[in-house]
C-alpha cells in the first residue's frame, strides 16, 4: 500500500488527524490494533476545549456534539462544606463543551467511514522503518499476512503503550514522569447529575468529582488507593463515600441509583521529548499523559493534531517545511503548560498519603485565595478553557 501519511492508532488523535487531512485532500491510512467496538467501549473524560470543538467543526463532524453536548460557562470547586464558582464565560469569554470522548471518537469513526477513509483494524506487529530517511515505511500483520505501507510521513497516535514512541532511539529520547500515589474510582449512573455544572471537591477524606454525560447520565469519581479493587466497592459504599466528600447541601440533593460502570484509573504525568524523529511525529497519549483533574488529556492531544495538521497542510499545499521542522518544539511548549495545570490542579485537590496537616492548610489557603482573587480565578479559567494554540 501507499499513502501520504501513515497514521498508527485509531483513537481520537489518529482519527481526527486523518479526517482533517482528508478535508485538505491529503491521503492517509489509519492502523488500529483493536476493533472499532473495543475502541468505542473505552470511557474517558468529557470536557472539550473550544479549540477541539472548532477542529471537530472543521473536520465536518460537529453536528451531534452541537445537538447533544452541553456548553458550560463555569465550574464549581468545593472544600469541606464551602463551595464557589469559577465563571469561565465572564473571566475568559469562552465556555467549555461537556461531551464524552467516546462520542467524539464515535463521530470521527462515522465521518471517516462516510468519506471512504481507510482504517485497518486488528493489525498486529506494527513496525516503523527508516523514519530518518526520505522513504519511511510501516509493516504489520493482518489476518496472518505481512503487509507494508510506503508513505511520506508517519503520525504516531498509538497512545501510551504504542510502538511509535519506542521507535525514537533511547539515545535521543528523554522521558519525564510523575506517578501519583492514588487512583480514581470512576462510575456511571443513570441518574440526573447532582449539579448543572461540574463540582471538583477537596475534602479531608480525599478528592471527588461530580460530572455528567447528559440529563440522565451522571459520571462521578472519588480518589482511592490504587490497590483497591472496584469489585470491592459496593454501589452503596461508593455513594456513601461520595456524599461525605461533597458539601452537605449538595449531598442532600444527590440522586443515587445502580452503578452501570465502575473502574479504577491510575494518575500519571508523563512527557516524552522530542515529539518528532525524522519523518515520525508523535501525537496525544503516545507522547504525553496528564492526570485527569482538569480533563486535559484529549484536549492536549487535540493541540498536537492541530500543529501537525497545519504543518502537513503547509507542506503539501505550498512546499513549506517550517511547520514540520518546528512541530516538536511548538507542540511541547503547549504540552508542558497543560502538564503544569493538571499537576497543579491535582496537587490542590487530592489528599496525599504523606501529607501533613500543614500541607492540607496550604491547600485550603490556596483554595481561599482562588475563591477571593480575580487574578487567580482568571489564571485558572484561562487554563481550564484551554490556552491558545
Ligand atoms: N498498533 C496500532 N494501534 C495501536 C498500537 C499499535 N502498536 N498501540 C496502540 N494502538 C492504538 C490503541 O488501541 C488505541 O486505540 O492506538 C490508539 C490510541 O488511542 P488513545 O490511547 O485513546 O490515545 P489518543 O488517540 O492519543 O487519545 C488521547 O485523551 O483523554 C485522553 O487518555 C485519553 O485516550 C485519550 C487521549
Ligand atoms: C469526566 O466527565 O469524565 C471528567 C470531567 C472532568 C475531569 C475529568 C473527567 O476533570
Amino acid at each position: 500500500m501507499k499513502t501520504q501519511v501513515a497514521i498508527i492508532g485509531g483513537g481520537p488523535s489518529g482519527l481526527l488527524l486523518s479526517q482533517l487531512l482528508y478535508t485538505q485532500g491529503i491521503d492517509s491510512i489509519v492502523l488500529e490494533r483493536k476493533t472499532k467496538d473495543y475502541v468505542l467501549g473505552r470511557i474517558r473524560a468529557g470536557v472539550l476545549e473550544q479549540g477541539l470543538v472548532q477542529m471537530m467543526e472543521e473536520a465536518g463532524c460537529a453536528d451531534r456534539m452541537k445537538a447533544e453536548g452541553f456548553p458550560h460557562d463555569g465550574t464549581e470547586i468545593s472544600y469541606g462544606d464551602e463551595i464557589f464558582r469559577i465563571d469561565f464565560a465572564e473571566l475568559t469569554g469562552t465556555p467549555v463543551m461537556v461531551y464524552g470522548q467516546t462520542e467524539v471518537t464515535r463521530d470521527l469513526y462515522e465521518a471517516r467511514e462516510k468519506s471512504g477513509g481507510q482504517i485497518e483494524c486488528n493489525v498486529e506487529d506494527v513496525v516503523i522503518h527508516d523514519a530518518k530517511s526520505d522513504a519511511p515505511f510501516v509493516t504489520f500483520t493482518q489476518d496472518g499476512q505481512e503487509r507494508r505501507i510506503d508513505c511520506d510521513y508517519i503520525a504516531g497516535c498509538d497512545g501510551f503503550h504504542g510502538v511509535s514512541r519506542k521507535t525514537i532511539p533511547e539515545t535521543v529520547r528523554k522521558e519525564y514522569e510523575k506517578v501519583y500515589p492514588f487512583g480514581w474510582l470512576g462510575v456511571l449512573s443513570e441518574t440526573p447529575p447532582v449539579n448543572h455544572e461540574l463540582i471538583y471537591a477537596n475534602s479531608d477524606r480525599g478528592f471527588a468529582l461530580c460530572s455528567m454525560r447528559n440529563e440522565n447520565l451522571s459520571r462521578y469519581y472519588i480518589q482511592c488507593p490504587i490497590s483497591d479493587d472496584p469489585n470491592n466497592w459496593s454501589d452503596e459504599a461508593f455513594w456513601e463515600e461520595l456524599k461525605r466528600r461533597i458539601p452537605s447541601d449538595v449531598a442532600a440533593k444527590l440522586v443515587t441509583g445502580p452503578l452501570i460502570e465502575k473502574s479504577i484509573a491510575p494518575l500519571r504525568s508523563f512527557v516524552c521529548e522530542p515529539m518528532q524523529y525524522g519523518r515520525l511525529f508523535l501525537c496525544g497519549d503516545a507522547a504525553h499523559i496528564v492526570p485527569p483533574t482538569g480533563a486535559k488529556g484529549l484536549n492536549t492531544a487535540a493541540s498536537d493534531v492541530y500543529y501537525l495538521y497545519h504543518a502537513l497542510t503547509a507542506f503539501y499545499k505550498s512546499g513549506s517545511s517550517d511547520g514540520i521542522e518546528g512541530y516538536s518544539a511548538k507542540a511541547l511548549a503547549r504540552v508542558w503548560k497543560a502538564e503544569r495545570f493538571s499537576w497543579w490542579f491535582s496537587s490542590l485537590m487530592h489528599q496525599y498519603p504523606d501529607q501533613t496537616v500543614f500541607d492540607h492548610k496550604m491547600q485550603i489557603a490556596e483554595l481561599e485565595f482562588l475563591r477571593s482573587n480575580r487574578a487567580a480565578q482568571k489564571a485558572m479559567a484561562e487554563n481550564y478553557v484551554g490556552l491558545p494554540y
Side-chain angles (χ1 to χ4, degrees), residues 63-101:
D63 289 352
R64 202 162 66 93
M65 177 183 69
K66 280 191 189 151
E68 296 176 18
F70 297 85
H72 279 199
D73 282 338
T75 193
E76 309 244 26
I77 297 180
S78 73
Y79 52 107
D81 266 340
E82 301 291 324
I83 187 159
F84 62 98
R85 181 165 183 264
I86 304 283
D87 189 332
F88 303 143
E90 194 262 323
L91 291 158
T92 69
T94 313
V96 290
M97 177 69 91
V98 172
Y99 187 64
Q101 178 178 325

Side-chain angles (χ1 to χ4, degrees), residues 80-371:
D81 266 340
E82 301 291 324
I83 187 159
F84 62 98
R85 181 165 183 264
I86 304 283
D87 189 332
F88 303 143
E90 194 262 323
L91 291 158
T92 69
T94 313
V96 290
M97 177 69 91
V98 172
Y99 187 64
Q101 178 178 325
T102 311
E103 304 313 313
V104 170
T105 313
R106 189 186 308 281
D107 296 344
L108 287 166
Y109 260 106
E110 198 166 286
R112 283 285 54 216
E113 282 162 4
K114 250 195 211 149
S115 1
Q118 192 175 350
I119 304 174
E120 301 292 340
C121 288
N122 283 320
V123 305
E124 291 173 293
D125 311 321
V126 171
V127 181
I128 297 167
H129 303 265
D130 298 351
K132 272 287 204 190
S133 81
D134 289 344
F137 62 101
V138 179
T139 56
F140 58 100
T141 46
Q142 195 177 31
D143 304 326
Q145 294 213 315
E146 269 275 342
R147 305 184 72 182
R148 166 177 171 146
I149 303 177
D150 290 289
C151 54
D152 300 333
Y153 292 102
I154 298 161
C157 304
D158 49 355
F160 185 64
H161 300 287
V163 294
S164 300
R165 183 177 69 252
K166 291 166 199 144
T167 301
I168 303 179
E170 274 178 36
T171 47
V172 175
R173 175 163 41 108
K174 281 209 181 97
E175 297 185 344
Y176 306 87
E177 183 174 50
K178 178 180 174 68
V179 176
Y180 297 78
F182 40 73
W184 277 19
L185 169 60
V187 306
L188 269 177
S189 101
E190 284 167 333
T191 49
V194 68
N195 190 47
H196 68 287
E197 288 177 344
L198 273 62
I199 302 174
Y200 289 90
N202 174 311
S203 97
D204 50 18
R205 299 183 66 89
F207 171 76
L209 169 60
C210 306
S211 183
M212 66 200 70
R213 290 296 176 268
N214 60 47
E215 295 95 339
N216 200 42
L217 190 57
S218 298
R219 179 89 170 133
Y220 295 107
Y221 298 93
I222 56 174
Q223 171 187 349
C224 67
I226 193 66
S227 54
D228 273 12
D229 178 345
N231 297 319
N232 293 340
W233 277 91
S234 68
D235 292 7
E236 179 115 299
F238 177 85
W239 290 120
E240 281 313 304
E241 188 56 36
L242 176 63
K243 281 187 198 166
R244 289 193 196 109
R245 296 184 186 196
I246 56 182
S248 40
D249 53 337
V250 179
K253 290 189 303 185
L254 184 72
V255 181
T256 63
L259 301 179
I260 54 176
E261 205 267 340
K262 233 185 269 178
S263 58
I264 294 182
L267 275 75
R268 181 197 304 268
S269 297
F270 174 88
V271 179
C272 163
E273 292 184 338
M275 286 174 59
Q276 173 175 10
Y277 181 68
R279 287 175 174 251
L280 165 68
F281 307 95
L282 303 182
C283 280
D285 279 17
H288 42 77
I289 300 285
V290 288
T293 333
K296 288 289 163 234
L298 175 61
N299 291 302
T300 310
S303 64
D304 298 345
V305 169
Y306 177 91
Y307 295 126
L308 185 54
Y309 160 57
H310 284 280
L312 290 168
T313 303
F315 172 77
Y316 284 112
K317 299 277 168 190
S318 59
S320 158
S321 54
D322 292 356
I324 282 176
E325 276 152 28
Y327 169 74
S328 180
K330 217 167 185 179
L332 280 166
R334 193 175 185 280
V335 163
W336 277 113
K337 292 183 192 116
E339 291 285 340
R340 187 209 65 86
F341 176 69
S342 306
W343 159 83
W344 168 79
F345 202 21
S346 299
S347 310
L348 180 64
M349 301 304 291
H350 291 80
Q351 300 308 309
Y352 287 69
D354 59 354
Q355 183 165 314
T356 63
V357 181
F358 180 86
D359 297 329
H360 187 59
K361 290 274 188 196
M362 288 298 100
Q363 288 184 332
I364 300 305
E366 185 157 2
L367 284 161
E368 288 184 345
F369 180 64
L370 183 61
R371 179 182 202 162

